Amino acid sequence: MILLAVLFAAFCAAVLFAFHSYFRTGKERPAEERFVIAVTPLLAVLMFMQLSYSVMRMPDRDWNAARITPSVAWTMGYDVYYPATEGPILNTLYGPGTVLAFAPSALGTDPTSAILIAGAINVGSMSLPLLLLFLILKSDRRDLSNRALRWLCWVLTCGSVYVYFGTAYAITSIHADAPAMGMMVLAATIIVMASGELSVRRLALSAFLAALSCFTKQIEVFALPGLFFFIGLAFSWRCAFIYAGLVAGWAVALAIAFGMAMGGFNDMMFNIVEVPSLHEWKGPKLSILIKSGIELTLSSVFLLFLLLPFICRDFHRKGHRLSDISESCFTNRWIVFAFIGITMVPGSLMGEVKVGGMENSYHTLYYLMIAAGLALFGWVSAMSEGEQKRAALVGIYLIAALVIGIRVHGMLNLLRARSVWNNTQQEAYEFAKAHPNQTMFPWNPLSTLYADGKVYHFEYGVYDRVFAGFKPEQEHFEKHIPEDLTYIIWRHRRECFQIPQHLPTFNQRANVSKLELPLRTDIEQSKHDPMEPPELNEPSIGGWMVLTRE
């Protein structure tokens, strides 16, 4: 409720500012330009409301809790990466940078607060580096229209993230994607803001963030060639090779540091390289690759067409010699994100084509969005005052308003949203806390971590291992389940097969509406064969599936 009150107060303040600005500021300007300048803060506030709504929804999703469990467990003394025959099995297929990025979520006192902290980090990773980039771009800061333009381009770029499923999933779901892309944007921003020759200090800082990004989600390594070629063309190839050496050096240093801090280098490589590499493709390799390539092309075609006029305009003015291309890259720094977007294509496809992969790996789209937003800003801010600039400013405002308007229904849900503490993770936590060391939630390991202070196996983590050919031995499995295990519970809509298979004596199944003792069943209890997955189309009231011993 406090957050809602703050957002509502900010919205009202933006409305009042718009009225005041329109009638009191810059009366010599045309009405349409004054209107855009006055209303821009309102659009910015609406964008912040959308970002806040994304955070508030995150506790509802089991995956969001599961993905920060390694981070919270690490702060409690657990290793992140274990060998195949030891340790609790969680979703540890991604790099240690993800664990580090979401480590502040351990400051939460319960699962919900931890998820909200991680959600703010996730959303901020994709939105705040963009805001920083637009705010520090060079232009006439005294011009009110250029000030408004900065915020409009940020709203447009940030709002576009919600238009495409892949990027929308990345910002609204806690995952490795957001911090990985955020770090890479910061790495590129450090290069973009160089006014002359690149200093070694600037190159080293950018290289550190780029290497850390690759240790956050592995496919981000495909962004490095884009940075390398941009630095070589815009500055010098000497700088480019120094940068490559610095990235390699930081990568070695980070690998050693993360290996020492999170469980050992070999165990880390087993989890983030060997296990994912053994996962099968979704189908025949060529057909799946073509299908994913078509999806990525269709998703990015609008952004490419938006960038094409800027590319053609600049290269038409200059020649086609390498020196002319270098001058164009140096002048139009947004090209670095176009380079990164293009070199990320193989990584985007690799992250999607295997079982478990989704469109959130289409990082190419995010970088092309940034390139388009920066190109628009550079084009309009360079215009002299006049009808053309006013028309462009109004056009960008209208598109930004449309992008925000598409998401209005989500922001309206803020008004009727239930308490963020009324969610699956909290309900599981309260039940596990009332019955210590007795309950296993295969899909909610964060809840039992907070309740019992112990890490138990995660259903999909076990599935990943089994799918890669590393089925856990029974002795290993039983070391990381509750000592006095009485209940195995998961949401009815989830499929839970791997963990019950290792506990065949738990063969009494029931569906309950609420987690309270005595567990009142809503459908008749029946025996459950642990060798068969539960039927997902049984009568369901949206409650919990409970397994107990006979």
Side-chain angles (χ1 to χ4, degrees):
M1 291 302 295
I2 295 175
L3 178 59
L4 287 178
V6 171
L7 291 174
F8 182 72
F11 180 80
C12 293
V15 171
L16 293 175
F17 177 82
F19 276 107
H20 177 270
S21 239
Y22 182 77
F23 291 107
R24 295 291 184 90
T25 305
K27 292 184 178 181
E28 71 284 355
R29 296 175 181 270
E32 65 272 19
E33 187 175 355
R34 280 193 292 148
F35 175 80
V36 171
I37 293 172
V39 177
T40 294
L42 181 58
L43 286 184
V45 169
L46 288 173
M47 189 69 250
F48 278 114
M49 291 179 70
Q50 174 59 50
L51 297 173
S52 301
Y53 178 63
S54 298
V55 174
M56 293 173 66
R57 288 186 59 191
M58 288 189 179
D60 287 329
R61 307 183 67 175
D62 293 341
W63 267 110
N64 290 334
R67 286 174 182 139
I68 65 171
T69 302
S71 297
V72 178
W74 181 53
T75 65
M76 293 183 177
Y78 281 87
D79 285 335
V80 175
Y81 301 109
Y82 290 92
T85 57
E86 297 178 18
I89 303 173
L90 299 174
N91 54 315
T92 51
L93 300 186
Y94 296 108
T98 305
V99 177
L100 189 64
F102 294 122
S105 61
L107 296 172
T109 56
D110 56 34
T112 301
S113 56
I115 296 169
L116 290 174
I117 293 171
I121 294 170
N122 194 85
V123 171
S125 295
M126 287 187 71
S127 58
L128 296 184
L130 286 184
L131 180 58
L132 174 66
L133 179 57
F134 280 108
L135 290 181
I136 63 179
L137 286 173
K138 294 179 180 179
S139 69
D140 185 359
R141 296 178 181 275
R142 296 169 297 178
D143 187 348
L144 288 177
S145 62
N146 279 346
R147 290 185 190 177
L149 181 63
R150 294 174 185 276
W151 287 93
L152 284 176
C153 288
W154 174 73
V155 170
L156 178 58
T157 308
C158 205
S160 298
V161 169
Y162 287 90
V163 174
Y164 295 89
F165 173 78
T167 50
Y169 185 91
I171 197 171
T172 59
S173 299
I174 295 171
H175 210 311
D177 300 286
M181 290 188 287
M183 292 175 197
M184 192 59 72
V185 169
L186 290 175
T189 300
I190 292 170
I191 301 299
V192 165
M193 298 317 299
S195 57
E197 280 294 317
L198 288 173
S199 65
V200 174
R201 181 181 300 178
R202 184 180 290 271
L203 286 170
L205 181 57
S206 174
F208 171 75
L209 289 169
L212 187 57
S213 173
C214 297
F215 272 93
T216 301
K217 189 163 186 177
Q218 298 91 313
I219 63 171
E220 213 65 21
V221 71
F222 287 93
L224 298 179
L227 276 169
F228 175 82
F229 284 114
F230 176 80
I231 294 172
L233 289 171
F235 295 93
S236 71
W237 291 105
R238 176 178 172 274
C239 286
F241 282 104
I242 291 174
Y243 188 76
L246 288 169
V247 171
W250 278 121
V252 172
L254 287 172
I256 295 172
F258 283 135
M260 293 175 61
M262 296 188 179
F265 178 79
N266 290 335
D267 296 336
M268 180 173 70
M269 290 297 104
F270 165 73
N271 281 269
I272 70 176
V273 177
E274 186 174 357
V275 172
S277 68
L278 293 172
H279 284 177
E280 295 181 2
W281 287 47
K282 294 177 180 179
K285 291 185 178 180
L286 182 59
S287 61
I288 289 297
L289 194 59
I290 292 174
K291 175 180 175 293
S292 298
I294 292 173
E295 286 181 354
L296 180 59
T297 301
L298 292 176
S299 298
S300 59
V301 67
F302 172 75
L303 295 168
L304 291 172
F305 276 122
L306 186 61
L307 287 170
L308 197 59
F310 299 106
I311 296 173
C312 293
R313 181 195 63 156
D314 190 69
F315 282 90
H316 177 72
R317 290 177 179 175
K318 297 180 170 46
H320 300 283
R321 294 172 301 178
L322 183 60
S323 59
D324 297 322
I325 296 174
S326 297
E327 185 182 347
S328 296
C329 292
F330 186 83
T331 305
N332 302 287
R333 303 292 177 87
W334 57 266
I335 293 177
V336 65
F337 292 101
F339 278 12
I340 293 174
I342 293 169
T343 60
M344 270 300 302
V345 169
S348 297
L349 295 177
M350 285 180 62
E352 199 274 337
V353 294
K354 287 197 171 186
V355 173
M358 291 179 61
E359 292 93 329
N360 57 289
S361 293
Y362 289 166
H363 294 187
T364 287
L365 298 176
Y366 182 64
Y367 295 120
L368 291 180
M369 289 175 193
I370 299 173
L374 292 177
L376 280 174
F377 175 83
W379 172 53
V380 178
S381 63
M383 292 179 179
S384 56
E385 292 293 334
E387 286 291 334
Q388 187 180 13
K389 184 169 185 175
R390 285 195 294 272
L393 191 66
V394 171
I396 294 175
Y397 161 76
L398 291 175
I399 299 173
L402 178 62
V403 168
I404 290 291
I406 293 172
R407 305 295 302 181
V408 162
H409 68 281
M411 288 179 278
L412 291 177
N413 287 336
L414 281 169
L415 301 176
R416 49 181 178 270
R418 66 179 189 276
S419 169
V420 292
W421 265 262
N422 181 15
N423 62 73
T424 299
Q425 322 312 321
Q426 200 68 19
E427 189 176 357
Y429 164 70
E430 296 294 344
F431 185 88
K433 189 170 66 170
H435 309 90
N437 300 310
Q438 297 178 30
T439 311
M440 188 171 188
F441 289 90
W443 279 96
N444 311 96
L446 184 67
S447 299
T448 46
L449 175 58
Y450 270 98
D452 295 344
K454 300 174 184 176
V455 181
Y456 306 134
H457 299 301
F458 173 50
E459 170 70 16
Y460 204 88
V462 178
Y463 170 79
D464 278 332
R465 289 284 183 87
V466 172
F467 197 62
F470 299 100
K471 184 177 180 179
E473 298 292 334
Q474 192 66 20
E475 182 182 359
H476 169 207
F477 183 87
E478 291 180 357
K479 286 181 179 179
H480 301 283
I481 62 175
E483 297 173 4
D484 304 316
L485 183 58
T486 307
Y487 307 101
I488 303 174
I489 306 175
W490 67 93
R491 292 294 287 181
H492 191 283
R493 65 178 179 270
R494 288 287 184 191
E495 181 176 354
C496 192
F497 176 45
Q498 297 296 335
I499 286 178
Q501 190 179 46
H502 283 84
L503 299 167
T505 58
F506 285 78
N507 58 7
Q508 290 294 310
R509 182 178 59 183
N511 184 288
V512 300
S513 57
K514 291 185 177 181
L515 291 178
E516 55 186 19
L517 288 178
L519 291 172
R520 293 189 290 273
T521 60
D522 299 287
I523 60 174
E524 184 180 353
Q525 292 190 6
S526 60
K527 283 195 174 182
H528 168 60
D529 183 356
M531 298 304 293
E532 295 294 333
E535 293 292 333
L536 294 183
N537 39 349
E538 296 175 1
S540 173
I541 56 167
W544 299 82
M545 187 68 74
V546 181
L547 289 185
T548 57
R549 286 189 176 93
E550 187 173 3

